[in-house]
């Protein structure tokens, strides 16, 4: 797997372990943005889904 | 032709199961789970339980089998199933049952499906029994999924806490033409003090969204007079953010209402043992239904599996925080390190309404997502 993909927000390298799976949430070490691993081999990051709010159960 | 999963849902929705009267529904679900190959039974709390597999690692799928009151004729029109509980929450519960019965389970794993009792009446008796059993056995589940409607492509990470309050005010009657507030007016004043207090706490804590706010609601206010006194009863509910525990709210209530000298009886017997007929206003506050706010974290195999499964299915996954309270508020604090979230088909804005219904396409889609999630969890190399 291509290591250290770029943060889509600040372009910093985001270190990932070889065992990283699609769907994992990681945090950019530079800007602190929450990122989702959407692809591995090569690794691709995008902004993690935001937290919406809703009423009810 | 009706699929097995749709038949399960239609038949379970057709069995009335108000909180405390879930027996027939629990028996039905347990028997259905057994026919799918689970070791199934109705537990001591009255919940339906079905265990697939027998390994030491447990995936706990806990939905609730009781429903909010109100009869809606059960019918399928087009692709929509109408009926009380179709969304809240037999749809999610049946999706759990259907998915668990259709996946292969490696030796190290078991999947436990629970149709828990008494979620709607605020005791969460079923969920608490499941917690107590696991605590007694020293067995924390690998992860837990709570069955509540989130839509097929959305995962609920957290719910607000809750505290229920019944406030009983006894005050001397006064002439309606005089300056003294009448007892009913004092009841309204109490509500104003409480809602102002909540507003002030929200401002102090910089609460900027519904999930972050301490939110009071006045569910009912009743008054009656006897010879010399008026009796006012206010029924309140509070939705709690992460920064306000039930204990902290109790302390706040005592502070906001200090001029009224409130007492907090532990129960009705303690309240009745005190002397009646005092000329001063008496204010008793009975608190119940306490749950803390809980929000699961995102960096765990459960969330990872969901995001991957939803994207694999062509969806755009989303996270949601709910302003209600659920059995997640019981399981989460009981096992704080355990990955937990809530999921299920359906639109929660239909909960408790006369229009409650579930799109069966969404139901089927959520089952496919759940099957994929279960496979990913059990085969993950991270485990």
């Amino acid at each position: 797997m291509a290591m250290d993909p770029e943060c889509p927000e600040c372009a910093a390298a985001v270190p990932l372990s070889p065992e990283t799976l699609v769907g994992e949430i990681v945090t950019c070490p530079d800007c602190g943005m929450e990122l989702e691993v959407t692809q591995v081999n090569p690794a691709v990051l995008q902004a993690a889904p935001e937290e919406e709010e809703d009423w009810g159960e | 032709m009706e699929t097995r999963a749709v038949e399960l849902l239609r038949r379970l929705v057709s069995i009335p199961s108000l909180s405390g009267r879930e027996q027939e529904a629990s028996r039905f679900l347990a028997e259905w789970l057994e026919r799918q190959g689970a070791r199934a039974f109705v537990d001591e709390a009255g919940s339906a339980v079905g265990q697939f597999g027998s390994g030491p690692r447990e995936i706990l799928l806990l939905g609730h089998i009781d429903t909010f009151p109100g009869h809606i004729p059960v019918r399928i029109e087009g692709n929509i199933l109408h009926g009380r509980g179709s969304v809240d929450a037999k749809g999610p519960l049946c999706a759990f049952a259907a998915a668990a019965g259709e996946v292969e389970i490696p030796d190290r794993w078991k999947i436990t499906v629970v149709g828990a009792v008494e979620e709607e009446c605020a005791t969460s008796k079923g969920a608490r029994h499941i917690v107590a059993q696991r605590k007694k056995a020293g067995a924390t589940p690998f992860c837990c999924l709570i069955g509540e409607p989130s839509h097929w492509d959305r995962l609920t990470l957290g719910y607000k806490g809750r505290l229920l309050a019944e406030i009983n005010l006894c005050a001397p009657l006064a002439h309606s033409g005089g300056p003294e507030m009448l007892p009913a007016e004092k009841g309204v004043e109490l509500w104003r003090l409480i809602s102002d207090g909540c507003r002030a706490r929200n401002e102090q804590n910089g609460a900027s969204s519904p999930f972050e706010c301490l939110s009071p609601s006045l569910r009912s206010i009743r008054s009656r007079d006897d010879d010399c006194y008026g009796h006012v009863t206010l029924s309140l509910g509070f939705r709690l953010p992460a920064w306000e525990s039930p204990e902290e709210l109790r302390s706040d209530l005592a502070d906001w209402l200090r001029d009224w000298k409130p007492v907090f009886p532990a129960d009705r017997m303690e309240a009745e043992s005190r002397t009646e007929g005092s000329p001063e206003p008496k204010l008793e506050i009975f608190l119940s239904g306490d749950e803390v706010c809980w929000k699961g974290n995102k960096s765990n195999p459960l969330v990872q599996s969901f995001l991957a499964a939803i994207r694999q299915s062509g969806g755009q996954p989303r996270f949601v925080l709910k302003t209600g309270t659920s059995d997640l508020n019981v399981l989460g604090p009981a096992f704080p390190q355990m990955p937990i979230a809530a999921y299920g088909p359906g639109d929660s804005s239909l909960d408790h309404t006369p229009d409650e219904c579930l799109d069966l396409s969404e139901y089927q889609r959520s089952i496919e997502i759940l099957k994929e999630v279960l496979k990913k969890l059990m085969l993950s190399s991270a485990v």
Side-chain angles (χ1 to χ4, degrees):
Chain A
M1 174 170 70
M3 305 309 297
D4 296 2
E6 274 189 8
C7 170
E9 179 72 10
C10 71
V14 181
L16 298 179
S17 78
E19 291 79 35
T20 299
L21 298 171
V22 169
E24 281 193 39
I25 300 289
V26 297
T27 304
C28 175
D30 267 22
C31 69
M33 184 162 189
E34 278 193 335
L35 304 166
E36 179 189 347
V37 178
T38 55
Q39 187 182 300
V40 293
N41 297 324
V44 174
L45 301 171
Q46 70 179 58
E50 290 193 0
E51 294 172 3
E52 307 170 2
E53 293 192 6
D54 202 354
W55 58 276
E57 292 162 5
Chain B
M1 195 177 80
E2 192 173 68
T3 65
R4 190 173 52 175
V6 171
E7 184 195 1
L8 165 66
L9 176 63
R10 178 180 56 75
R11 292 182 66 189
L12 189 61
V13 170
S14 298
I15 302 173
S17 53
L18 295 181
S19 304
R21 288 184 263 166
E22 303 98 332
Q23 296 86 343
E24 186 186 346
S26 289
R27 271 198 308 273
F28 168 79
L29 180 58
E31 286 166 6
W32 190 92
L33 289 165
E34 189 171 51
R35 288 197 297 276
Q36 313 314 307
R39 185 176 77 86
F41 51 93
V42 176
D43 72 10
E44 294 89 337
S47 304
V49 180
Q51 278 184 344
F52 296 91
S54 55
R57 286 177 181 267
E58 181 183 35
I59 298 172
L60 179 59
L61 306 177
L62 190 144
H64 67 89
I65 204 165
D66 62 326
T67 70
F68 189 76
H71 174 69
I72 300 169
V74 180
R75 63 205 187 275
I76 295 178
E77 292 175 350
N79 209 30
I80 308 294
L81 171 71
H82 296 259
R84 174 61 79 221
S86 54
V87 171
D88 180 24
K90 289 177 177 174
L93 174 57
C94 291
F96 286 178
E102 290 182 26
V103 293
E104 250 187 70
I105 303 184
D107 290 343
R108 288 188 307 158
W109 292 90
K110 64 174 171 267
I111 300 174
T112 305
V113 178
V114 178
V117 297
E118 295 191 15
E119 188 276 342
E120 291 287 355
C121 69
T123 65
S124 285
K125 178 182 173 186
R128 293 190 197 287
H129 181 71
I130 294 293
V131 166
Q133 280 191 317
R134 274 138 188 83
K135 291 252 185 212
K136 191 175 173 186
T140 300
F142 176 75
C143 66
C144 176
L145 200 55
I146 299 294
E148 293 285 2
S150 64
H151 291 296
W152 75 272
D153 57 350
R154 224 167 57 151
L155 193 63
T156 304
L157 297 177
Y159 288 87
K160 293 181 79 171
R162 177 192 61 212
L163 188 63
L164 303 175
E166 182 184 295
I167 300 179
N168 294 329
L169 171 67
C170 173
L173 292 173
H175 197 287
S176 62
E180 184 71 19
M181 268 201 280
L182 300 177
E185 291 168 329
K186 288 178 176 170
V188 173
E189 176 65 7
L190 283 173
W191 165 242
R192 187 191 66 77
L193 285 170
I194 290 169
S195 52
D196 284 354
C198 291
R199 194 173 307 116
R201 292 286 279 129
N202 288 331
E203 284 170 12
Q204 283 164 13
N205 286 276
S208 59
S209 74
F211 194 79
E212 295 173 357
C213 280
L214 173 57
S215 309
S217 58
L218 178 61
R219 297 183 174 193
S220 68
I221 180 167
R222 303 185 301 277
S223 68
R224 64 175 177 85
D225 298 337
D226 58 27
D227 288 342
C228 297
Y229 294 93
H231 304 269
V232 185
T233 297
L234 292 88
S235 187
L236 286 84
F238 297 86
R239 299 291 180 181
L240 310 181
W243 51 261
E244 181 89 341
S245 69
E247 292 73 26
E248 286 164 333
L249 179 55
R250 184 194 185 285
S251 177
D252 280 337
L253 285 168
D255 182 44
W256 298 334
L257 306 178
R258 60 187 175 279
D259 291 343
W260 300 65
K261 302 186 182 65
V263 293
F264 293 81
D267 51 41
R268 308 284 165 180
M269 280 178 55
E270 178 188 328
E272 285 165 10
S273 69
R274 281 182 282 103
T275 307
E276 292 184 1
S278 163
E280 297 296 323
K282 277 196 315 187
L283 189 63
E284 292 173 335
I285 303 179
F286 295 90
L287 301 175
S288 65
D290 42 309
E291 304 288 1
V292 295
C293 177
W294 195 260
K295 181 181 167 187
N297 73 62
K298 291 178 252 190
S299 297
N300 60 63
L302 180 64
V303 172
Q304 174 268 315
S305 300
F306 263 102
L307 295 183
I310 292 170
R311 285 202 190 276
Q312 206 170 297
S313 178
Q316 295 293 322
R318 295 172 290 156
F319 293 128
V320 64
L321 302 172
K322 295 283 194 80
T323 59
T325 305
S326 76
D327 283 341
L328 186 143
N329 299 80
V330 175
L331 273 292
F335 303 108
Q337 305 306 315
M338 175 184 70
I340 190 166
Y343 180 77
D347 180 357
S348 62
S349 70
L350 298 173
D351 291 0
H352 305 187
T353 72
D355 304 317
E356 186 174 5
C357 62
L358 180 62
D359 184 325
L360 293 174
S361 298
E362 182 176 4
Y363 172 63
Q364 302 274 27
R365 200 159 190 190
S366 73
I367 293 171
E368 296 307 312
I369 295 293
L370 283 162
K371 283 160 59 177
E372 197 55 38
V373 166
L374 292 172
K375 288 178 202 168
K376 288 181 189 309
L377 279 170
M378 293 187 290
L379 295 174
S380 169
S381 60
V383 173

